[in-house]
Amino acid sequence: MTDRFNLPARLLHWTMATMILAMLLIGAAMVTSLADYHALVALHRPLGALILLLAVLRLANRWRHPPPPLPADLPAWQRIAAHGSHVALYGLMLALPLVGWGMLSAARYPIVLAGPVVLPPILPQSPMLAASLRHVHTGLAYALVAVFLAHLGAALMHALIRQDGVFASMAPWRSRR
Amino acid sequence: MTLLNDLTGAPPGMTGRSLLLRLSTLGAVVAGTAGGFAYAGGWLSPGLLTPARIVDRFEAVNGPHPGFRRNHAKGLCVAGRFAANGAGARLSKAALFAPGQVTPVLGRVALAGGQPYAADAETTVRSLALLFRQSDGEEWRTGMNNIPVFPVRTPEAFAAQLLAAKPDPATGKPDPARMAAFFADHPESARAAALIKARIVTGGFADSTFWSLNAFRFVAANGSVRPVRWAFVPERMATAETPARAGQADRNALFDTFAAQVRQNPQRWHLVVTLGRVEDPTADATQPWPPDREGVDVGTLSLTEVTPEAPHTCRDINFDPLVLPDGIAPSDDPLLSARSAAYAQSFTRRAGEAKAPSAVTGAPNPGAAL
Ligand code: HEM
Ligand code: HEM
Ligand code: HEM
């Protein structure tokens, strides 16, 4: 069967979709909350690190098991948009955690994941760099929200309107058709 | 509706009605998701007290001082070590309490307030912030003040007090009517203010006791958890005479005196951990714990170096009180998470700004006889 993403790809897509959406909400909520800030940041760091790890596994799986082709009748601009948005989604799911890790390194925070588990710094201490990366982290997160909304719209377009098997190729269940 | 079918790529069999319904569903899901993000990001709650709004308030009250901390702006870097005596090991599994463990420490002594160039005054709250670097990469950061209780119980009260205590441009002092209104709304703050006013103000940084004020929890290796507060208690005998009061012309007399003392001899404090009982308030920093609570001396802090704020020194550190090693955990005190959030906001702002030199140089002061 080559009309579907393989099982690891589908599993990774849906677990990571849940995790990444949770991360966007946690991130947006924590920077406006005084009461829950600490609990949310303490969750944000390990979840973000896990996303980075899974994203690498996912790209490795994609390289070994290329995705199914898009429907032949899909207009060229949609083909380009689909390709471009997937590149953007992969890029952002790698860049956001790396920037998060980098900004905490440059700010010289210990990057605590859980209990005594601490990530090593990946950048030298630099307050200016820390502040810039902090703004980049916000910018990339907003970009991810935008690309995700487009992605969601496109997925629903395929599922509800075009009914062309693109949604089924990623659906966690087997399609009845 | 075949034009719409063509445009959207819907199968020719789909009726116009069904297609419109599906398009509206799609639009509603996307718009609802976008709304969810806006809600989580606080865009739909403009009145919410956020970390950014607290820090905005510091800036409004103190004026702009780019590059400096928005509170405790005037300070001096210190360094030294903490030698554990082993008594803390049964209370907390944090590596720094293990018997014989010596942990490098860097820190900062400072005066409360957002004015980096204010003259030292004896009653200004003094602070000691410390960063303990364990060899396993974990850190303990703590910021403490030389007052026995904190003036407010919640971050909302903190923000209200900032505004009430803002100096009136006409008199240079807080408007007494506004302070009275604040205390009427916050009786716990009125009680705390009385305790703070009654404290003995010692001669300088070196003979000050610095209190954690907030409660934390110590987690031991056997899993037992207990509420604690702690204090760094000076070895130096307290003197009443402050260099600031002695009428010296030096606007940085407290810092300069301290710098000279450290250069002469390491200055030492004992870390005394107070063990709370279940009935002791952990979520109210305005209330002292009963004086009979057991205090355990867990080791000695020696400060051996002072350096003015400069790149890569204490200046570039956020002494976030919730950077804790495994073995020390937050309590339910609402100030803790709020401090962590506000300090991160203050840090990000100042980190990205050009830095001006601190008023405090810590240079030997030839005028002062020590
Ligand atoms: C897919 C991964 C990630 C996503 C989607 C994400 C998303 C976000 C969002 C939306 C914000 C709020 C930005 C704002 O409104 O200003 C944020 C802030 C933050 N993120 Fe992430 N993030 C990710 C990974 C990470 C990682 C791996 C770390 C650290 C190891 C991290 C550390 C932080 C910190 C420290 C803040 C800001 C806290 C503050 O300024 O007070 N993030 N993130
Ligand atoms: C929750 C709503 C989501 C739905 C309904 C959805 C649906 C889909 C569908 C149907 C595909 C297959 C498209 C194709 O073959 O061209 C797909 C692919 C993809 N999705 Fe999602 N997705 C969702 C969330 C996310 C999120 C949050 C992310 C990550 C940030 C994401 C990242 C991707 C990527 C990178 C691909 C391309 C896979 C590849 O070509 O290797 N998706 N999604
Ligand atoms: C919600 C209540 C509080 C708020 C909003 C607040 C706000 C701040 C801010 C914005 C800074 C500057 C941080 C930086 O840029 O690095 C600061 C520093 C400091 N605060 Fe607080 N604070 C609060 C409660 C407390 C409490 C309860 C204590 C006492 C133990 C305390 C002790 C300190 C100390 C010692 C510093 C200076 C740390 C240093 O030298 O870097 N604060 N505070």
Side-chain angles (χ1 to χ4, degrees):
Chain A
M1 288 285 275
T2 53
D3 59 342
R4 300 179 80 198
F5 284 89
N6 74 344
L7 182 65
R10 279 177 286 139
L11 263 178
L12 281 166
H13 175 269
W14 292 107
T15 37
M16 290 186 72
T18 317
M19 289 168 66
I20 291 172
L21 291 182
M23 279 298 276
L24 289 169
L25 291 172
I26 291 169
M30 74 192 185
V31 296
T32 57
S33 170
L34 291 165
D36 301 322
Y37 175 83
H38 178 67
L40 291 174
V41 183
L43 187 61
H44 191 87
R45 282 186 307 254
L47 201 53
L50 188 55
I51 288 172
L52 179 61
L53 182 73
L54 292 181
V56 173
L57 293 179
R58 184 164 166 190
L59 282 170
N61 175 64
R62 187 185 203 274
W63 184 63
R64 298 193 47 194
H65 304 277
L70 288 167
D73 66 341
L74 201 67
W77 72 268
Q78 289 188 22
R79 202 171 279 281
I80 294 167
H83 190 70
S85 63
H86 293 166
V87 170
L89 287 169
Y90 279 123
L92 288 168
M93 74 176 90
L94 290 168
L96 258 160
L98 281 173
V99 169
W101 186 355
M103 79 196 182
L104 294 184
S105 306
R108 219 200 148 300
Y109 290 105
I111 303 151
V112 178
L113 295 187
V117 184
V118 182
L119 284 179
I122 51 171
L123 286 176
Q125 179 181 17
S126 160
M128 279 289 175
L129 183 62
S132 311
L133 289 176
R134 177 64 188 81
H135 298 303
V136 170
H137 196 69
T138 302
L140 292 180
Y142 282 119
L144 179 54
V145 171
V147 184
F148 162 68
L149 288 175
H151 181 69
L152 177 65
L156 291 176
M157 190 80 173
H158 286 289
L160 298 177
I161 295 164
R162 288 186 61 94
Q163 304 182 330
D164 55 5
V166 168
F167 188 82
S169 74
M170 188 55 97
W173 58 84
R174 190 166 279 284
S175 103
R176 274 165 287 138
R177 289 189 296 142
Chain B
M1 280 288 187
T2 48
L3 179 62
L4 200 51
N5 285 48
D6 278 355
L7 272 178
T8 55
M14 195 178 281
T15 63
R17 224 187 106 136
S18 163
L19 179 53
L20 282 180
L21 195 69
R22 282 157 194 261
L23 275 174
S24 335
T25 310
L26 190 164
V29 171
V30 174
T33 311
F37 284 120
Y39 175 76
W43 291 3
L44 310 181
S45 6
L48 192 75
L49 184 64
T50 63
R53 290 191 184 119
I54 287 211
V55 174
D56 288 346
R57 188 159 294 183
F58 277 109
E59 292 175 357
V61 168
N62 295 305
H65 297 289
F68 288 99
R69 284 166 166 78
R70 295 330 192 225
N71 195 9
H72 296 248
K74 187 181 185 185
L76 178 69
C77 299
V78 297
R81 62 189 176 274
F82 176 75
N85 61 21
R90 79 176 164 91
L91 305 173
S92 164
K93 61 184 165 188
L96 84 158
F97 295 125
Q101 186 74 41
V102 177
T103 306
V105 173
L106 67 86
R108 184 170 179 268
V109 290
L111 293 178
Q115 303 282 354
Y117 302 109
D120 292 0
E122 60 158 356
T123 52
T124 308
V125 171
R126 297 167 201 158
S127 65
L128 174 66
L130 298 171
L131 181 161
F132 302 72
R133 193 177 175 97
Q134 294 186 171
S135 50
D136 58 7
E138 286 188 276
E139 289 183 7
W140 179 28
R141 300 187 184 183
T142 175
M144 298 157 294
N145 291 340
N146 74 331
I147 44 177
V149 289
F150 200 63
V152 296
R153 189 173 60 81
T154 64
E156 290 73 21
F158 191 100
Q161 190 219 30
L162 266 181
L163 210 56
K166 183 186 158 115
D168 183 333
T171 63
K173 288 197 157 41
D175 176 350
R178 288 221 298 219
M179 279 313 283
F182 170 79
F183 284 130
D185 285 349
H186 301 89
E188 75 282 8
S189 292
R191 285 191 292 273
L195 291 174
I196 294 168
K197 205 168 166 199
R199 79 188 193 276
I200 294 163
V201 178
T202 62
F205 284 106
D207 60 359
S208 290
T209 298
F210 296 97
W211 278 277
S212 72
L213 304 179
N214 298 121
F216 291 78
R217 290 178 303 143
F218 268 21
V219 184
N222 66 8
S224 69
V225 178
R226 61 193 105 216
V228 297
R229 284 177 175 175
W230 60 75
F232 280 83
V233 180
E235 268 187 7
R236 179 182 273 268
M237 293 282 282
T239 56
E241 189 68 358
T242 78
R245 182 167 39 189
Q248 295 184 4
D250 183 0
R251 290 168 59 82
N252 307 319
L254 282 170
F255 289 103
D256 291 346
T257 304
F258 179 65
Q261 287 166 333
V262 172
R263 274 196 206 95
Q264 238 166 31
N265 281 307
Q267 300 297 309
R268 293 200 176 82
W269 284 260
H270 289 261
L271 171 50
V272 177
V273 177
T274 303
L275 308 184
R277 296 206 194 130
V278 276
E279 65 268 29
D280 296 337
T282 51
D284 186 351
T286 66
Q287 285 192 50
W289 281 355
D292 65 347
R293 294 297 180 256
E294 183 187 354
V296 183
D297 180 342
V298 300
T300 310
L301 169 74
S302 308
L303 295 183
T304 53
E305 276 174 54
V306 285
T307 36
E309 293 193 313
H312 300 285
T313 62
C314 73
R315 188 194 74 184
D316 296 342
I317 298 288
N318 171 1
F319 291 93
D320 175 344
L322 290 184
V323 170
L324 300 169
D326 200 27
I328 307 181
S331 68
D332 55 351
D333 187 334
L335 292 180
L336 282 174
S337 177
R339 287 178 71 186
S340 191
Y343 293 21
Q345 179 67 222
S346 170
F347 179 82
T348 301
R349 291 191 193 184
R350 64 188 174 84
E353 293 163 348
K355 316 278 187 298
S358 166
V360 184
T361 60
N365 181 352
L370 292 164

